[in-house]
């Protein structure tokens, strides 16, 4: 409601003149798609709308969309006749207002008298502008008005954001200019840039494959060791094949690939990565059942017993125990069902990449790894190219990759088998999803992998196919720039020619996937269509993987993350709530609008996302020219019965809850509220949509929510999410594209 609505509400609350019969919520709208933003629609007239026919005191209609403006207010059903007219007020205060032609308008009982549904304005040169006029009056209950009045009294000012539709455009922030100090960014954007945290600052400088797992049989000195011993007993790897000077010689290293028929079993019980503990509880009838504790600290939840008691009573092996994901909600429920009901090998999933070089396999593998980790699945990325470089060095020419080079074929098969054995051994130690990243371009290679995985894990082949020569050429050049294979190549074009020769060697023997369970991504990388084919895919997790892959692409675009401007609850140190922003928050809102205007001035398709809480909507209000979308999923973590309390009050009045939260902020769920894991689950649609977007997105949200979103892009472990620094009045720019994820931070004010 506007300020007039709040005034009327105050009179009704104090005078109680309506006898509890409700009030009329009146909405006046004007529509014109041709008038530009130089003229702003206003209304002026008699009591009780304004109480003055002075144009300088006219009330502005708020911009609802590109062509519609609205003014809303509350009056009693038996209100006196309202006498008013519309006018257009120029931005230049020295230019006279333009009053609509014709008689005054009369509003009685929520109905506009007469047939005047059009407002005519005569401009210079006898130009007549026509606005369509709409009016709607709804009866609202005293309870709704009381709630609005409570919000008004608590925040000492009326809410300026209620009634805004979920998607809106606001190219004319006239109302905010009167209430918020005008602050601009007088310096270049680079002046406001601050260092990003160390882990993310370095991540963009590392080749994606180098972030994959190191070989288990790799010693600290960088050489492979003979690994015929069981994995559980191999605590101190031994180096074989040292050169004369004592340093490892890559040409003399011998490697023994473990027999694929060997079985691996974890010795002892490893520490579970499960968020909830599966624990037995006793039914009244004496039968035993399962209770999944997905939060701690809430008095509504049964306290779970220890993991060791669970293992003793249910006789589950360490593999089953460790394969429950660190997750909540649908992910946890599906995982429990899969572990209890599915085949043993389905407890572990191997995504085996297939495709020619320069088709985006490693990028897809890294992105899928990050997504699954964020959902709570223990996931690792095994890149065979990394194994090859560590075993044979980086100076391998295209001849090494020829199918008629027996030494090259043997060497590549050897490291491929080693990477697969390492992945299976890791799974049998408790890992859940392994991403096996290699070309795997022949049926014989894929058959070898399936034989090695038989009875140990379920394999799904993920084939990436790209027929766009422009994208392939771009990927080839990025490969030469970033891959360690060409780090010592001083002639860039010579490196390009060598890689094309390598690519031709693979193309001669390439066999598309037609066996087993598979997902084919065909021309999907651009984000402009393409197709995805699936065969023999079932289960919750494979289904989520397919849904994720459908929505990913390589189009470069920035994503800007920022908290709302400082709120009144921030000032008071209170959790949750729906307070307005403080004076400092208003200044930040103006600075943010100025920043976005400069940063995204050439991005016409950008959009602004906010939560449904008014502190984020008010922060976004000065931003002009971009669609604004409200997401309930972006609302702050629900603090339940602790909403509105300070942490000192929680510590004093609810010491057990305070201590439970201190011990485990990730899993702790506020009584009748949420945990961080709950927040992650409701944010998955936001992540999918961010991946799908091809234009920049500005996300204005809250601390806990932004911690979870940032952890996804920065690939931070779940356990770190509750402690990630997310300062006020700072913008985090995430740049997504073919080279991975890069980060910049801008601090606009203290």
């Amino acid at each position: 409601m506007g300020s007039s609505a709040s005034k009327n509400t105050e009179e009704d609350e104090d005078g109680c003149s309506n006898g509890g019969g409700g009030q009329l919520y009146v909405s006046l709208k004007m529509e014109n798609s041709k008038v530009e933003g130089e003229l702003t629609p206003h209304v002026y007239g008699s009591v009780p709308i304004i109480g003055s026919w002075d144009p300088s005191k006219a009330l502005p209609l708020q911009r609802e969309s590109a062509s519609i403006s609205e003014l809303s207010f509350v009056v009693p059903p038996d209100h006196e006749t309202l006498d008013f007219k519309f006018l257009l007020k120029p931005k230049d205060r020295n230019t006279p207002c333009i009053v609509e032609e014709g008689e005054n308008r009369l509003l009685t009982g929520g109905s506009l008298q007469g047939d005047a549904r059009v407002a005519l304005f005569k401009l210079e040169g006898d130009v007549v502008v026509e606005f369509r006029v709409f009016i709607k009056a709804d009866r609202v209950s005293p309870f709704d008005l009381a709630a609005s009045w409570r919000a008004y009294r608590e925040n000492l000012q009326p809410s300026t954001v209620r009634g805004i539709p979920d998607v809106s455009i606001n190219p004319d922030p006239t109302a905010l200019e009167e209430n918020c100090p005008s602050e601009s960014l007088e310096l270049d954007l680079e002046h406001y840039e601050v260092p990003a945290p160390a882990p993310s600052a370095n991540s963009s400088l590392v080749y994606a494959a180098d972030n994959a797992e190191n070989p288990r049989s790799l010693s600290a000195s960088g050489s492979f060791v003979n690994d015929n011993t069981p994995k559980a007993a191999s605590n101190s790897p031994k180096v074989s094949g040292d050169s004369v000077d004592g340093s490892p010689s890559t040409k003399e290293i011998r490697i023994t690939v473990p027999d694929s028929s060997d079985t691996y079993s974890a010795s002892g019980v490893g520490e579970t990565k499960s968020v909830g503990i599966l624990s037995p509880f006793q039914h009244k009838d004496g039968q035993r059942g399962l209770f999944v504790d997905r939060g701690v600290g809430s008095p509504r939840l049964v306290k779970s017993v220890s993991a060791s008691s669970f293992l003793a009573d249910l006789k589950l092996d360490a593999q089953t125990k460790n394969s429950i994901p660190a997750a909540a909600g649908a992910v946890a429920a599906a995982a429990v069902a899969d572990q209890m009901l599915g085949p043993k090998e389905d407890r572990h999933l191997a995504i085996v990449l297939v495709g020619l070089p320069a088709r985006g396999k490693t990028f897809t593998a890294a992105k899928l790894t990050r997504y699954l980790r964020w959902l709570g699945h223990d996931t690792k990325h095994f890149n065979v190219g990394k194994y090859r470089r560590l075993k044979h060095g980086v100076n391998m020419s295209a001849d090494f990759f020829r199918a008629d080079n027996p030494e090259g074929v043997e060497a590549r098969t050897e490291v491929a088998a080693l990477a697969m054995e390492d992945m299976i051994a890791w799974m049998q130690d408790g890992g859940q999803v392994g991403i096996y990243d290699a070309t795997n371009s022949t049926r014989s290679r894929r058959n070898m992998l399936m034989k090695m995985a038989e009875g140990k894990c379920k394999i799904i082949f993920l084939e990436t196919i790209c027929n766009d020569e422009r994208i392939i050429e771009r990927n080839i050049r990025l490969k030469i720039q970033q891959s360690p294979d060409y780090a010592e190549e001083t002639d860039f074009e010579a490196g390009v020619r060598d890689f094309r020769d390598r690519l031709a060697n693979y193309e001669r023997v390439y066999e598309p996937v037609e066996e087993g369970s598979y997902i084919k991504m065909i021309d999907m990388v651009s984000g402009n269509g393409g197709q995805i084919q699936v065969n023999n895919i079932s289960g919750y997790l494979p289904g989520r993987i397919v849904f994720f892959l459908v929505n990913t692409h390589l189009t470069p675009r920035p994503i800007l993350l920022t908290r709302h401007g400082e709120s009144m609850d921030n000032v008071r140190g209170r959790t949750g709530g729906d307070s307005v922003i403080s004076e400092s928050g208003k200044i930040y809102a103006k600075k943010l609008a100025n920043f976005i205007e400069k940063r995204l001035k050439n991005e016409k398709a950008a959009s602004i996302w906010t939560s449904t809480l008014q502190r984020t909507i008010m922060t976004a209000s000065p931003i002009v020219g971009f669609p604004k979308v409200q997401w309930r999923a972006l609302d702050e973590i629900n603090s339940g019965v602790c909403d509105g309390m300070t942490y000192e009050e929680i510590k004093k009045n609810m010491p057990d809850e305070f201590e439970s939260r201190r011990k485990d902020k990730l899993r702790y769920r506020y009584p009748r509220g949420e945990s961080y894991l709950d927040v992650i689950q409701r944010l998955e649609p936001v992540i999918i949509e961010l991946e799908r977007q091809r234009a920049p997105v500005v996300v204005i949200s809250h601390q806990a929510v932004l911690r979870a979103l940032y952890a996804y892009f920065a690939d931070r472990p779940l356990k770190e999410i509750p402690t990630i620094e997310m300062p006020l009045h700072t913008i985090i720019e995430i740049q997504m594209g073919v080279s991975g994820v890069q980060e910049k931070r801008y601090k606009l004010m203290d």
Side-chain angles (χ1 to χ4, degrees):
M1 300 178 190
S3 58
S4 60
S6 297
K7 291 177 182 177
N8 279 303
T9 304
E10 180 179 357
E11 293 169 1
D12 295 334
E13 284 282 320
D14 293 341
C16 301
S17 60
N18 198 44
Q23 301 288 296
L24 287 179
Y25 181 89
V26 182
S27 172
L28 286 175
K29 294 186 179 182
M30 298 178 66
E31 180 183 30
N32 184 300
S33 58
K34 299 180 180 180
V35 174
E36 298 183 356
E38 295 298 323
L39 297 173
T40 305
H42 285 62
V43 62
Y44 74 138
S46 64
V47 176
I49 293 185
I50 301 173
S52 172
W53 286 96
D54 183 354
S56 65
K57 297 181 180 180
L59 290 178
L61 275 68
Q62 301 298 317
R63 184 77 67 170
E64 182 183 84
S65 67
S67 60
I68 297 178
S69 300
E70 178 194 28
L71 174 70
S72 58
F73 53 90
V74 175
V75 293
D78 55 350
H79 65 86
E80 63 183 270
T81 299
L82 307 181
D83 188 6
F84 68 96
K85 295 191 80 169
F86 293 110
L87 61 84
L88 299 179
K89 186 178 286 190
K91 284 189 174 181
D92 184 0
R93 298 181 184 275
N94 297 322
T95 304
C97 298
I98 305 168
V99 181
E100 70 167 311
E101 300 292 315
E103 302 293 329
N104 293 354
R105 296 178 179 272
L106 301 177
L107 184 72
T108 303
S111 300
L112 196 62
Q113 302 302 306
D115 297 326
R117 300 302 178 189
V118 174
L120 301 177
F121 298 87
K122 186 175 292 186
L123 308 183
E124 294 182 0
D126 293 331
V127 176
V128 177
V129 175
E130 178 181 295
F131 281 78
R132 295 178 64 193
V133 176
F134 306 90
I135 185 166
K136 182 180 180 182
D138 295 315
R139 187 180 294 269
V140 295
S141 73
F143 301 103
D144 292 336
L145 293 177
S148 299
W149 175 233
R150 277 198 302 272
Y152 172 81
R153 287 188 299 180
E154 288 175 2
N155 298 305
L156 306 180
Q157 54 184 304
S159 168
T160 60
V161 298
R162 295 297 181 234
I164 292 180
D166 286 345
V167 181
S168 61
I169 269 193
N170 178 20
D172 184 14
T174 308
L176 195 67
E177 289 178 359
E178 299 175 359
N179 300 323
C180 178
S182 177
E183 296 291 340
S184 61
L185 301 178
E186 299 177 356
L187 303 173
D188 293 336
L189 298 185
E190 289 75 13
H191 174 78
Y192 300 93
E193 189 172 344
V194 295
S200 56
N202 296 330
S203 62
S204 62
L205 305 177
V206 179
Y207 181 54
D210 286 345
N211 284 327
E213 294 304 305
N214 287 318
R216 284 190 164 200
S217 50
L218 185 67
S219 72
S221 60
S223 58
F224 285 94
V225 299
N226 189 309
D227 195 5
N228 285 323
T229 58
K231 292 293 186 260
S234 180
N235 295 326
S236 55
K238 298 179 180 179
V239 179
S240 62
D242 285 348
S243 61
V244 176
D245 61 0
S247 60
S249 171
T250 56
K251 299 301 181 184
E252 296 178 6
I253 294 176
R254 291 186 306 155
I255 177 171
T256 302
V257 179
D259 185 358
S260 61
S261 63
D262 289 348
T263 58
Y264 295 87
S265 60
S267 60
V269 177
E271 180 184 356
T272 179
K273 292 181 171 56
S274 170
V275 172
I277 302 298
L278 289 175
S279 57
F281 64 91
Q282 195 74 22
H283 286 294
K284 291 182 179 180
D285 58 6
Q287 296 180 347
R288 303 190 71 81
L290 284 178
F291 171 74
V292 183
D293 180 5
R294 291 297 159 191
V296 295
S298 172
R300 298 171 60 88
L301 296 176
V302 180
K303 298 299 182 181
S304 61
V305 297
S306 66
S308 59
S309 172
F310 164 75
L311 290 173
D313 289 342
L314 292 183
K315 304 296 190 296
L316 289 181
D317 57 22
Q319 294 180 41
T320 302
K321 172 176 168 292
N322 286 339
S323 57
I324 302 292
V331 172
V336 171
D338 288 347
Q339 305 315 314
M340 298 298 109
L341 303 176
K344 185 175 180 180
E345 59 268 22
D346 285 3
R347 298 173 187 172
H348 308 288
L349 182 62
I351 304 297
V352 176
L353 273 294
V354 178
L356 292 168
R359 264 56 175 186
K361 296 186 302 299
T362 297
F363 178 84
T364 301
K367 178 173 282 194
L368 184 57
T369 300
R370 190 174 76 238
Y371 170 70
L372 294 175
R373 283 175 178 168
W374 184 78
L375 281 182
H377 297 280
D378 190 6
T379 306
K380 284 190 175 182
H381 175 195
F382 294 82
N383 180 270
V384 175
K386 182 175 184 178
Y387 278 65
R388 170 181 54 77
R389 284 186 288 272
L390 292 171
K391 171 70 167 67
H392 298 286
V394 297
N395 296 317
M396 294 296 162
S397 68
D399 290 339
F400 179 79
F401 301 92
R402 284 180 12 229
D404 58 355
N405 178 356
E407 292 83 4
V409 171
E410 181 182 2
R412 289 185 284 122
T413 302
E414 193 175 38
V415 292
L418 176 61
M420 188 66 177
E421 284 291 347
D422 275 1
M423 185 173 74
I424 292 173
W426 166 75
M427 287 180 175
Q428 296 191 340
D429 283 345
Q432 296 167 20
V433 184
I435 313 292
Y436 185 86
D437 180 13
T439 55
N440 300 313
S441 54
T442 64
R443 189 172 291 108
S444 61
R445 166 69 66 83
R446 298 192 292 269
N447 287 339
M448 179 192 79
L449 299 178
M450 287 193 289
K451 183 177 180 181
M452 295 175 68
E454 188 174 355
K456 301 181 179 72
C457 64
K458 176 182 177 63
I459 282 185
I460 294 178
F461 293 112
L462 174 55
E463 185 176 15
T464 60
I465 300 172
C466 179
N467 300 306
D468 190 326
E469 293 297 332
R470 178 182 57 85
I471 293 177
I472 295 172
E473 180 65 20
R474 179 194 65 186
N475 290 350
I476 289 174
R477 294 189 169 272
L478 279 173
K479 190 87 170 180
I480 306 306
Q481 292 173 359
Q482 298 178 351
S483 174
D485 283 345
Y486 296 94
E488 300 178 12
E489 176 60 71
T490 57
D491 186 341
F492 182 83
E493 292 302 326
V496 171
R497 289 192 296 272
D498 180 82
F499 190 84
R500 287 202 178 106
D501 291 341
R502 181 196 299 191
L503 180 56
N505 290 332
Y506 277 105
E507 288 175 333
R508 294 188 189 100
V509 297
Y510 186 78
E511 297 173 298
V513 175
E514 296 176 349
E515 66 275 15
S517 300
Y518 63 77
I519 304 168
K520 287 177 182 267
M521 299 175 62
I522 305 173
D523 294 328
M524 294 282 292
V525 295
S526 67
N528 293 318
Q531 47 181 305
I532 188 164
Q533 300 176 2
V534 297
N535 180 66
N536 195 25
I537 299 296
S538 62
Y540 176 81
L541 187 54
R544 299 310 301 168
I545 290 173
V546 171
F547 183 64
F548 176 76
L549 294 174
V550 166
N551 289 283
T552 59
H553 55 85
L554 303 181
T555 305
R557 74 279 190 196
I559 295 174
L560 306 179
L561 307 178
T562 183
R563 290 175 67 183
H564 53 79
E566 180 190 63
S567 70
M568 296 305 297
D569 278 341
N570 289 146
V571 175
R572 302 169 187 135
R574 299 193 175 278
T575 64
D578 191 17
S579 63
V580 298
I581 55 179
S582 67
E583 291 302 318
S584 179
K586 293 177 182 178
I587 296 175
Y588 176 69
K590 295 294 290 183
K591 285 180 174 287
L592 176 63
N594 198 273
F595 176 92
I596 291 173
E597 181 184 2
K598 292 183 177 182
R599 177 64 184 85
L600 303 180
K601 60 183 178 181
N602 297 321
E603 303 286 355
K604 303 302 182 184
S607 58
I608 314 298
W609 296 2
T610 72
S611 73
T612 64
L613 301 177
Q614 62 179 335
R615 52 190 183 272
T616 64
I617 300 173
M618 293 180 73
T619 303
S621 293
I623 302 172
V624 300
F626 298 107
K628 297 173 185 175
V629 183
Q630 294 181 28
W631 285 73
R632 188 169 296 278
L634 291 175
D635 285 1
E636 180 60 297
I637 186 172
N638 183 354
S639 51
V641 299
C642 299
D643 190 69
M645 300 173 65
T646 67
Y647 288 113
E648 283 300 319
E649 290 171 344
I650 298 174
K651 183 177 182 180
K652 178 181 178 181
N653 301 317
M654 308 173 71
D656 291 343
E657 295 295 332
F658 184 86
E659 185 63 18
S660 295
R661 178 180 178 275
R662 185 190 66 81
K663 288 180 178 179
D664 191 354
K665 288 182 68 177
L666 177 68
R667 294 177 55 226
Y668 172 79
R669 177 179 289 136
Y670 286 99
R672 303 181 187 176
E674 290 181 303
S675 68
Y676 270 94
L677 292 175
D678 295 325
V679 171
I680 290 172
Q681 290 304 303
R682 67 168 155 96
L683 282 176
E684 188 189 10
V686 178
I687 288 295
I688 295 295
E689 188 59 26
L690 285 173
E691 288 286 359
R692 194 184 69 82
Q693 291 284 318
R694 302 180 69 247
V697 177
V698 180
V699 180
I700 304 174
S701 188
H702 310 268
Q703 180 169 249
V705 171
L706 292 178
R707 281 171 169 168
L709 291 178
Y710 175 80
Y712 169 78
F713 293 111
D715 197 15
R716 297 281 286 273
L718 289 181
K719 64 182 180 181
E720 294 182 9
I721 289 180
T723 58
I724 292 176
E725 183 182 3
M726 199 59 57
L728 282 169
H729 304 159
T730 301
I731 300 167
I732 300 175
E733 179 177 328
I734 304 293
Q735 185 70 41
M736 299 179 64
V738 293
S739 58
V741 176
Q742 303 176 30
E743 175 188 347
K744 287 183 179 180
R745 292 198 176 202
Y746 301 90
K747 190 170 184 63
L748 302 190
M749 57 186 286
D750 294 327

